[in-house]
Amino acid sequence: MPLNKSKGNMYEWITHTWNPLGGKCPHGCSYCSTNKFYYPNLIEKYSGEPRLIEKELKTNLGSDNFIFVCAQNDLFAESIPMEFIWMVNEHCKKYNNKYLFQTKNPKRLYEFYYKHGLPKQSVICTTIETDKWIPKVMKNSPYPHVRAMSMAQLKEFDRYVTIEPVMKFNLYWMVSIIKSFNPIQVNIGADSGNSNLPEPNAKQIKELINELEKFTIVKQKNNLNRLLND
């Protein structure tokens, strides 16, 4: 299988995505873009129990790429078999690339790393949409502050955080939990899927960006304009 070139509402620095993990994401977040696929082959790929797509494990990942691994799923979700994580990780190690591993369960990534390692040029990212716990939206995901605590342990890597889709937050606590693990970059974006989320207003978002820029780089995704221009 060829690598997928990055496109759409992806991180601008990512060159490719590679999605060897099929099945429904165990976290089940209500806003997930994977839930909104309408092509039959993609609906089939991301339905049912988690499974590895064997033909993807034969993909030539090339060299000097920046690859988002499992962009449509969460490789480190609690119910993903450890064997799956190991096989994906070992395939990545065969190639001289930079890899983005993004997860809402960095605790498991931390545990895996200290047992098996990760490719040398790995970047770690987690999603923190808000400081609040919203069960009907986040479903089976770890609490935002728990994600931050685990990220703080991964000091060996460049760490990013994505605030997307941004939801209503308490400014003090939102800034505090992100600052606690000192990310080198924060990416902030809005809901693109009409998911009926509780969203902050333009003033609140600008205040958040201003506070974050005191200690890190903030990248605003294009879809944030919908909220900033309201």
Side-chain angles (χ1 to χ4, degrees):
M1 290 289 290
L3 276 173
N4 300 310
K5 286 193 175 182
S6 176
K7 56 185 179 179
N9 189 37
M10 189 57 63
Y11 302 124
E12 60 186 20
W13 61 91
I14 292 294
T15 62
H16 298 82
T17 62
W18 179 51
N19 291 291
L21 182 65
K24 186 174 178 63
C25 177
H27 290 150
C29 299
S30 66
Y31 60 77
C32 182
S33 62
T34 307
N35 297 335
K36 298 175 174 62
F37 284 142
Y38 51 86
Y39 292 111
N41 61 321
L42 293 177
I43 293 173
E44 180 181 3
K45 180 175 180 178
Y46 296 110
S47 298
E49 294 297 315
R51 60 193 181 280
L52 284 181
I53 310 299
E54 291 188 13
K55 62 184 178 181
E56 292 283 1
L57 292 174
K58 298 176 183 178
T59 299
N60 183 339
L61 300 181
S63 61
D64 300 320
N65 296 314
F66 197 162
I67 301 173
F68 189 166
V69 180
C70 296
Q72 298 299 152
N73 217 320
D74 195 323
L75 184 63
F76 296 94
E78 206 62 41
S79 59
I80 303 299
M82 188 64 74
E83 178 186 7
F84 291 5
I85 305 174
W86 185 85
M87 292 176 70
V88 170
N89 186 52
E90 290 302 302
H91 192 68
C92 290
K93 287 180 179 179
K94 296 175 184 177
Y95 301 89
N96 183 31
N97 292 309
K98 197 169 185 178
Y99 297 100
L100 172 66
F101 293 98
Q102 180 163 332
T103 177
K104 290 180 184 170
N105 191 22
K107 177 177 180 291
R108 195 159 190 233
L109 188 153
Y110 170 81
E111 293 167 350
F112 178 87
Y113 167 68
Y114 279 99
K115 289 182 180 178
H116 305 286
L118 288 173
K120 290 181 180 179
Q121 295 191 80
S122 293
V123 171
I124 309 302
C125 183
T126 196
T127 301
I128 297 180
E129 318 94 313
T130 172
D131 60 299
K132 305 177 186 300
W133 175 244
I134 308 176
K136 68 179 182 179
V137 174
M138 299 174 179
K139 303 291 180 68
N140 302 316
S141 303
Y143 286 70
H145 75 276
V146 173
R147 302 174 210 171
M149 289 170 61
S150 298
M151 288 290 285
Q153 296 178 297
L154 289 158
K155 298 177 182 179
E156 293 85 352
F157 300 99
D158 286 345
R159 291 165 294 181
Y160 290 58
V161 61
T162 290
I163 307 174
E164 185 185 14
V166 63
M167 291 187 278
K168 285 186 176 180
F169 54 82
N170 174 287
L171 181 63
Y172 174 81
W173 289 113
M174 186 67 168
V175 172
S176 294
I177 64 174
I178 292 174
K179 191 173 183 179
S180 70
F181 61 92
N182 194 31
I184 65 170
Q185 184 170 305
V186 172
N187 316 295
I188 181 167
D191 174 37
S192 297
N194 298 315
S195 304
N196 193 31
L197 302 176
E199 296 181 317
N201 60 38
K203 179 176 180 292
Q204 293 166 333
I205 293 171
K206 290 174 183 177
E207 289 175 342
L208 175 62
I209 292 171
N210 181 60
E211 291 300 315
L212 293 173
E213 285 181 335
K214 292 177 181 179
F215 62 88
T216 190
I217 297 168
V218 178
K219 294 285 186 178
Q220 299 179 41
K221 300 185 79 170
N222 290 336
N223 61 11
L224 192 64
N225 290 331
R226 175 177 63 81
L227 297 179
L228 291 177
N229 295 330
D230 274 356

